[in-house]
Amino acid sequence: MTLGILGGGQLGYMLALAGYPLGLHFRFLDPSPEAPVGRIAQRVTADYGDHAALEKFANGLELVTYEFENVPVEAAQFLAQRVPVYPPPAALEAAQDRLGEKTLFRNLGITTTDFLPVSKTGEFDAAIRQLGLPAVLKTRRMGYDGKGQWILRTTDDVVKAKAELPKLHLILERFVPFTRELSLLAVRSRHGETAFYPMVENHHRGGVLRLSLAPAPSLDPPMQRAAEDIARRVIESLEYVGVLAIEFFENQGRLLANEMAPRVHNSGHWTIEGAVTSQFENHLRAVLGLPLGSTRPAGQCAMINLIGDLPEPSEVLGVPDAHLHLYGKVPRPGRKLGHVTVRAASPERLALRLSELPTFFHRPDFCLDSALSQSASQRA
Ligand code: AMP
């Protein structure tokens, strides 16, 4: 049985690795000849808009899924006329436009920060007046990993933004003075079975995820239930199939939904070693209509992204229960090259293990030391 995957990055790579023990084969489509999945699966190198290539790609596939949410919706719809496509293209569409996404949350009664569309200069001034400063201006489309967004703190920033911003469709959001960032991974199968992983605490630098602590330290059950209730509303309204990630701000004990990703997610990499069933395996089970696996955590994990440069593997692997994942990409500044998951039986044990990581990991950009002192003070 061969599954097609749109996008050939590390998420696809890990989906394939989770699928091989289930006897699955994979065919990827990605415009880049550098896509890392080329090392382990069939890869079609073509643009998403190339109908002849899509036709050839779809031939003989059991179904198509994606690992990248900026796949053109039109490509997903074209494929859906030939093979089942999960998650549904409508979910892809909803997640691609920040305004549509926040409007969906609002329509489902899910709290978000206040936001307004900005398409004309007049709208920008009015939105700033209404929401106040600081505010966050974001492109509605194609924004990820902190790209396409600007924090406006002063009226000077507003003047500069007006002069420099391309004439794009934008969204202005009220800045959230959050206590922390959390994410929830939900999974729903073709038969409607649902499961949720425990929420994860995420640390970003420059809008890019650097560190996830899983389960989130000091996570109280009512907050987990509130997040699950939110995710349930989204997946039911979209008749969703597969893994869905929702990112939240925690502010004064409340959850504000920020965005969703209709795919497996970087904040779920810890599940490979840290949960009974990984997000990758559960995504495959969901799209194939197989029973979902347990999402129960197996201890306490930290997942650390390796961005731009790599540590010495032997130094990482010398730390007990540290697991190294390299994506086979050529190092480049800002590029996600791999991740390390460290697992332990308790938060205290995990803190100890993390302190044993080589000096490479104690640079401020890893967020490790700051996150550890924050969770130690939360525990105290
Ligand atoms: P996003 O692309 O929306 O996930 O934003 C990337 C990161 O920017 C988030 O993880 C936050 O750290 C920060 N951010 C985004 N929106 C806001 C907001 N409205 N208020 C405060 N910080 C934000």
Side-chain angles (χ1 to χ4, degrees), residues 91 94 104-105 108 110 188 228-240 244 246 257 260:
L104 172 75
F105 289 149
L108 293 172
I110 298 166
R188 181 171 181 271
E228 290 182 11
D229 174 57
I230 289 170
R232 199 172 276 111
R233 277 183 254 171
V234 176
I235 54 184
E236 283 174 6
S237 80
L238 293 170
E239 294 187 35
Y240 195 85
L244 174 83
I246 305 188
M260 63 181 183

Side-chain angles (χ1 to χ4, degrees), residues 98 136 138 149 173-176 181 204 249 258-259:
R98 289 183 190 277
V136 187
K138 302 178 179 179
Q149 66 169 269
E173 296 179 7
R174 194 190 296 278
F175 184 88
V176 183
E181 295 187 73
H204 297 83
F249 299 124
N258 179 38
E259 63 173 359

Side-chain angles (χ1 to χ4, degrees), residues 90-109:
L92 194 62
E93 194 163 14
Q96 282 180 358
D97 176 3
R98 289 183 190 277
L99 182 67
E101 179 179 66
K102 286 218 160 62
T103 307
L104 172 75
F105 289 149
R106 183 186 274 170
N107 291 342
L108 293 172

Side-chain angles (χ1 to χ4, degrees), residues 28-338:
F28 287 84
L29 185 125
D30 193 291
S32 166
E34 276 186 38
V37 290
R39 296 199 303 165
I40 60 160
Q42 296 174 39
R43 183 187 59 195
V44 176
T45 304
D47 284 339
Y48 295 117
D50 180 343
H51 283 188
L54 288 178
E55 192 86 57
K56 205 166 137 217
F57 168 73
N59 189 25
L61 293 179
E62 181 73 16
L63 58 88
V64 167
T65 185
Y66 14 81
E67 62 99 58
F68 173 60
E69 77 267 35
N70 286 320
V71 166
V73 174
E74 194 268 332
Q77 285 165 340
F78 180 86
L79 288 166
Q81 286 159 10
R82 287 149 183 86
V83 278
V85 174
Y86 299 113
L92 194 62
E93 194 163 14
Q96 282 180 358
D97 176 3
R98 289 183 190 277
L99 182 67
E101 179 179 66
K102 286 218 160 62
T103 307
L104 172 75
F105 289 149
R106 183 186 274 170
N107 291 342
L108 293 172
I110 298 166
T111 313
T112 68
T113 190
D114 292 332
F115 61 92
L116 287 167
V118 173
S119 308
K120 301 188 275 283
T121 315
E123 274 181 356
F124 188 29
D125 291 330
I128 294 280
R129 267 198 307 279
Q130 200 171 323
L131 299 181
L133 293 177
V136 187
L137 188 64
K138 302 178 179 179
T139 54
R140 280 175 53 178
R141 291 184 176 275
M142 300 301 281
Y144 64 99
D145 280 353
K147 293 184 181 68
Q149 66 169 269
W150 300 265
I151 297 183
L152 309 178
R153 296 187 188 279
T154 62
T155 42
D156 274 0
D157 292 340
V158 176
V159 172
K160 218 163 137 215
K162 259 200 265 183
E164 287 177 10
L165 279 182
K167 300 280 168 277
L168 289 171
H169 291 292
L170 304 163
I171 174 172
L172 188 75
E173 296 179 7
R174 194 190 296 278
F175 184 88
V176 183
F178 54 80
T179 331
R180 59 175 173 170
E181 295 187 73
L182 298 163
S183 59
L184 179 81
L185 293 184
V187 55
R188 181 171 181 271
S189 86
R190 271 160 85 159
H191 303 303
E193 186 190 356
T194 54
F196 304 91
Y197 287 90
M199 272 210 281
V200 172
E201 177 181 305
N202 297 316
H203 296 258
H204 297 83
R205 275 283 160 105
V208 182
L209 180 68
R210 300 302 312 230
L211 168 74
S212 293
L213 298 174
S218 318
L219 177 64
D220 64 336
M223 185 155 296
Q224 174 73 23
R225 280 198 297 276
E228 290 182 11
D229 174 57
I230 289 170
R232 199 172 276 111
R233 277 183 254 171
V234 176
I235 54 184
E236 283 174 6
S237 80
L238 293 170
E239 294 187 35
Y240 195 85
V241 174
V243 166
L244 174 83
I246 305 188
E247 295 184 61
F248 297 97
F249 299 124
E250 183 185 335
N251 187 30
Q252 298 177 336
R254 278 194 330 155
L255 287 176
L256 304 182
N258 179 38
E259 63 173 359
M260 63 181 183
R263 54 168 170 79
V264 286
H265 196 251
N266 194 171
S267 70
H269 291 358
W270 67 277
T271 59
I272 298 175
E273 291 89 10
V276 174
T277 316
S278 79
Q279 63 163 345
F280 301 101
E281 182 176 335
N282 257 340
H283 181 77
L284 297 171
R285 290 183 185 217
V287 297
L288 286 164
L290 297 169
L292 299 180
S294 167
T295 52
R296 194 159 42 80
Q300 204 72 30
C301 284
M303 188 289 307
I304 307 159
N305 270 338
L306 301 172
I307 300 177
D309 59 348
L310 292 171
E312 190 53 53
S314 61
E315 290 190 1
V316 176
L317 298 176
V319 175
D321 225 345
H323 303 268
L324 178 64
H325 296 254
L326 300 177
Y327 309 147
K329 292 176 171 177
V330 180
R332 224 186 276 146
R335 204 171 194 206
K336 286 182 183 164
L337 303 173

